[in-house]
Amino acid sequence: MAEGAFQVGALLLNWRQPELTLQCLADLLLVDGVRLQVLVIDNGSADGRTEALRTAVLQQAAGQQRHRVDFVALEHNLGFATKARPVVGDP
Protein backbone atom coordinates (compact mmCIF):
# COMPACT_ATOMS: atom_id res chain seq x y z
CA MET A 1 0.00 0.00 0.00
CA ALA A 2 1.25 3.47 -0.84
CA GLU A 3 2.40 5.68 2.03
CA GLY A 4 -0.50 7.81 3.23
CA ALA A 5 -3.18 5.77 1.45
CA PHE A 6 -6.53 5.45 3.17
CA GLN A 7 -7.18 1.95 4.46
CA VAL A 8 -10.81 2.04 5.60
CA GLY A 9 -13.84 3.95 4.38
CA ALA A 10 -16.73 4.87 6.67
CA LEU A 11 -20.09 6.28 5.66
CA LEU A 12 -22.09 8.20 8.29
CA LEU A 13 -25.67 8.89 7.32
CA ASN A 14 -27.48 11.67 9.17
CA TRP A 15 -31.21 12.26 9.14
CA ARG A 16 -32.42 14.73 11.75
CA GLN A 17 -30.07 13.46 14.48
CA PRO A 18 -26.91 15.57 14.14
CA GLU A 19 -25.90 15.00 17.77
CA LEU A 20 -25.61 11.24 17.19
CA THR A 21 -23.79 11.77 13.90
CA LEU A 22 -21.25 14.10 15.53
CA GLN A 23 -20.67 11.66 18.41
CA CYS A 24 -20.10 8.83 15.95
CA LEU A 25 -17.67 11.00 13.98
CA ALA A 26 -15.80 11.94 17.16
CA ASP A 27 -15.47 8.24 18.02
CA LEU A 28 -14.24 7.38 14.52
CA LEU A 29 -11.63 10.13 14.65
CA LEU A 30 -10.14 8.42 17.73
CA VAL A 31 -9.40 5.26 15.74
CA ASP A 32 -5.70 4.48 15.70
CA GLY A 33 -3.74 2.07 13.55
CA VAL A 34 -5.53 2.74 10.24
CA ARG A 35 -6.23 5.80 8.13
CA LEU A 36 -9.95 6.44 7.64
CA GLN A 37 -11.77 8.21 4.87
CA VAL A 38 -15.08 9.26 6.41
CA LEU A 39 -18.00 10.55 4.35
CA VAL A 40 -20.74 12.25 6.37
CA ILE A 41 -24.00 12.54 4.42
CA ASP A 42 -27.02 14.54 5.49
CA ASN A 43 -29.93 12.67 3.93
CA GLY A 44 -32.24 15.60 3.24
CA SER A 45 -32.99 16.37 6.88
CA ALA A 46 -34.77 19.62 5.92
CA ASP A 47 -34.95 20.65 9.58
CA GLY A 48 -32.74 23.72 9.21
CA ARG A 49 -29.69 22.17 10.88
CA THR A 50 -27.77 20.95 7.84
CA GLU A 51 -25.39 23.92 7.66
CA ALA A 52 -24.73 23.76 11.40
CA LEU A 53 -23.93 20.05 11.00
CA ARG A 54 -21.60 20.79 8.06
CA THR A 55 -19.75 23.40 10.14
CA ALA A 56 -19.44 21.07 13.15
CA VAL A 57 -18.22 18.16 10.99
CA LEU A 58 -15.57 20.29 9.32
CA GLN A 59 -14.46 21.73 12.67
CA GLN A 60 -14.03 18.23 14.12
CA ALA A 61 -12.10 17.16 11.03
CA ALA A 62 -9.80 20.19 11.15
CA GLY A 63 -8.59 19.20 14.61
CA GLN A 64 -6.76 16.10 13.37
CA GLN A 65 -4.38 15.10 10.57
CA ARG A 66 -4.71 11.31 10.33
CA HIS A 67 -8.13 10.82 8.73
CA ARG A 68 -9.97 12.45 5.83
CA VAL A 69 -13.52 13.71 6.40
CA ASP A 70 -15.90 14.96 3.71
CA PHE A 71 -19.48 16.22 3.97
CA VAL A 72 -22.32 15.95 1.46
CA ALA A 73 -25.80 17.43 1.92
CA LEU A 74 -28.66 16.01 -0.12
CA GLU A 75 -31.81 18.03 -0.76
CA HIS A 76 -34.21 15.09 -0.41
CA ASN A 77 -34.29 11.89 1.60
CA LEU A 78 -34.01 9.20 -1.07
CA GLY A 79 -33.49 6.29 1.31
CA PHE A 80 -30.09 4.88 2.15
CA ALA A 81 -29.40 2.53 -0.77
CA THR A 82 -30.78 4.88 -3.43
CA LYS A 83 -28.88 7.83 -1.99
CA ALA A 84 -25.55 6.19 -1.24
CA ARG A 85 -25.01 4.80 -4.73
CA PRO A 86 -24.43 8.15 -6.55
CA VAL A 87 -22.26 9.44 -3.70
CA VAL A 88 -20.14 6.33 -3.11
CA GLY A 89 -20.38 4.70 -6.54
CA ASP A 90 -21.33 1.28 -7.78
CA PRO A 91 -19.34 -1.72 -6.51
Side-chain angles (χ1 to χ4, degrees), residues 2-62:
E3 179 66 28
F6 294 100
Q7 298 169 313
V8 176
L11 178 63
L12 295 181
L13 179 62
N14 176 71
W15 190 71
R16 296 186 178 176
Q17 294 186 323
E19 298 82 10
L20 292 176
T21 301
L22 291 171
Q23 181 59 56
C24 186
L25 177 60
D27 292 342
L28 281 171
L29 293 178
L30 295 174
V31 168
D32 198 13
V34 296
R35 293 195 68 222
L36 299 177
Q37 182 171 3
V38 181
L39 179 57
V40 180
I41 302 172
D42 180 79
N43 195 13
S45 292
D47 60 357
R49 297 187 287 177
T50 300
E51 282 308 311
L53 177 61
R54 177 192 314 268
T55 299
V57 164
L58 297 178
Q59 284 176 345
Q60 279 189 4

